[in-house]
Amino acid sequence: MVNPVQKLDIVIPVNNEELNLKELVPNILKIIKNKKFFQFRIIFIDDGSSDKSPDIIKEFQKNDKRIKMIQNKDRMGQTFCYKKYLLKFKADYFLRLDADNQDNPTYINDILESMKFKYDLIITKRKLRKHSLLMIILSFLYDNFIKFLIKRNIETYSSSMVCFKKSFINGKNLRFNDHRYLPLITIDNGADKIKIINVIHEKRKYGVSKYNILTKIIFAIPEFLIFYFRLKKGTFK
């Protein structure tokens, strides 16, 4: 029996990542070349970049029609970027990926292999993380807190490289930092067949992180409690 072609979008929010894009885009194109059973698009959401990131994406677009770009005039944040994607594009699956090259796109191969088994949700778990010790501890506490809340023993819920079956996510009501909780939204909406793939986390080579660890520490708990209340209220159904 021949598997039907699956439509997969690789969705990448971008803010001032021109040097990373010069490496990332060719690597992705190489990986997806000649992959059977998949119809790909690479969708960049430029989130108010002030460098040459949009120009670099446009140059790649000239040679590959699968590359698309949405542009935000100002920086709106990742949740808004994913919301714009979800409301604008239709696909069977979408794979979220950061533009900083800390998640090696080579692991897309492993995700594609897993997709052949029709998983609802494929999450990568970072090994040997290049984050600060504090960030690693916070992620550990978060993952275990979620396990306690939803009574499901999944190894991690905090990953920037995740493949979702798109039918489980309605982007309409996303706000704040809801992009962080897309795996939880997917599970709450019925995703049951879940795969974890171990990956090696790599050090950022170019640019600087937009992640503010102090803000995370101060607002993490109230932010999550507000999200969880909205989740249980059925906001994301």
Side-chain angles (χ1 to χ4, degrees):
M1 180 177 177
V2 178
N3 290 323
V5 172
Q6 299 292 309
K7 295 180 180 179
L8 171 65
D9 290 336
I10 300 172
V11 184
I12 308 172
V14 176
N15 178 263
N16 295 340
E17 296 285 4
E18 56 180 292
L19 294 177
N20 281 309
L21 287 172
K22 289 179 180 179
E23 292 188 7
L24 179 65
V25 181
N27 285 338
I28 293 176
L29 291 174
K30 183 178 179 180
I31 290 164
I32 67 176
K33 185 178 180 181
N34 299 324
K35 285 288 191 296
K36 296 180 179 180
F37 311 126
F38 296 100
Q39 182 178 322
F40 294 99
R41 287 183 300 202
I42 307 170
I43 300 174
F44 292 95
I45 303 99
D46 180 69
D47 195 27
S49 291
S50 58
D51 66 358
K52 295 181 179 178
S53 293
D55 297 329
I56 291 167
I57 295 168
K58 288 175 183 176
E59 284 300 312
F60 283 114
Q61 279 184 296
K62 291 178 182 178
N63 298 314
D64 199 311
K65 293 181 179 180
R66 295 173 297 178
I67 298 174
K68 312 292 181 183
M69 179 168 62
I70 303 172
Q71 286 187 270
N72 299 332
K73 183 178 179 181
D74 301 308
R75 187 177 176 190
M76 304 297 292
Q78 286 200 36
T79 294
F80 185 79
C81 291
Y82 285 115
K83 182 174 183 175
K84 286 188 79 170
Y85 159 72
L86 288 164
L87 295 178
K88 185 177 178 65
F89 291 94
K90 293 182 179 180
D92 298 309
Y93 293 86
F94 81 95
L95 177 103
R96 79 174 186 194
L97 180 66
D98 285 350
D100 57 14
N101 281 317
Q102 288 192 261
D103 289 311
N104 194 318
T106 302
Y107 292 109
I108 292 173
N109 285 313
D110 299 294
I111 290 172
L112 296 179
E113 285 300 312
S114 296
M115 284 179 64
K116 293 177 182 178
F117 297 95
K118 299 182 179 179
Y119 284 100
D120 299 324
L121 179 64
I122 303 169
I123 307 175
T124 62
K125 181 181 180 182
R126 292 167 164 178
K127 297 290 188 180
L128 304 175
R129 294 179 64 159
K130 303 302 180 183
H131 289 142
S132 66
L133 179 59
L134 179 58
M135 182 62 190
I136 293 171
I137 292 172
L138 287 174
S139 296
F140 173 80
L141 293 174
Y142 170 76
D143 283 337
N144 282 277
F145 181 56
I146 299 303
K147 290 176 189 177
F148 171 77
L149 274 182
I150 71 171
K151 308 299 188 228
R152 185 154 186 171
N153 190 25
I154 297 172
E155 292 180 58
T156 184
Y157 297 89
S158 54
S159 172
S160 57
M161 189 177 188
V162 185
C163 186
F164 304 87
K165 192 171 184 179
K166 200 168 182 290
S167 59
F168 288 109
I169 300 179
N170 177 1
K172 182 178 178 181
N173 292 320
L174 294 179
R175 58 192 178 117
F176 303 126
N177 285 312
D178 287 344
H179 71 279
R180 296 174 179 167
Y181 312 115
L182 287 177
L184 272 178
I185 292 171
T186 305
I187 292 169
D188 191 66
N189 283 343
D192 186 61
K193 195 172 181 181
I194 301 168
K195 171 81 171 180
I196 304 294
I197 296 175
N198 290 327
V199 301
I200 302 298
H201 189 215
E202 299 186 9
K203 189 175 181 179
R204 177 185 268 273
K205 197 190 309 185
Y206 306 113
V208 294
S209 174
K210 287 79 177 177
Y211 199 89
N212 190 315
I213 188 68
L214 182 61
T215 301
K216 178 70 172 177
I217 293 170
I218 295 172
F219 294 108
I221 293 177
E223 175 189 287
F224 178 78
L225 291 176
I226 291 170
F227 161 77
Y228 193 69
F229 171 78
R230 293 165 60 227
L231 182 76
K232 294 294 104 180
K233 192 178 175 182
T235 301
F236 307 103
K237 297 295 184 184

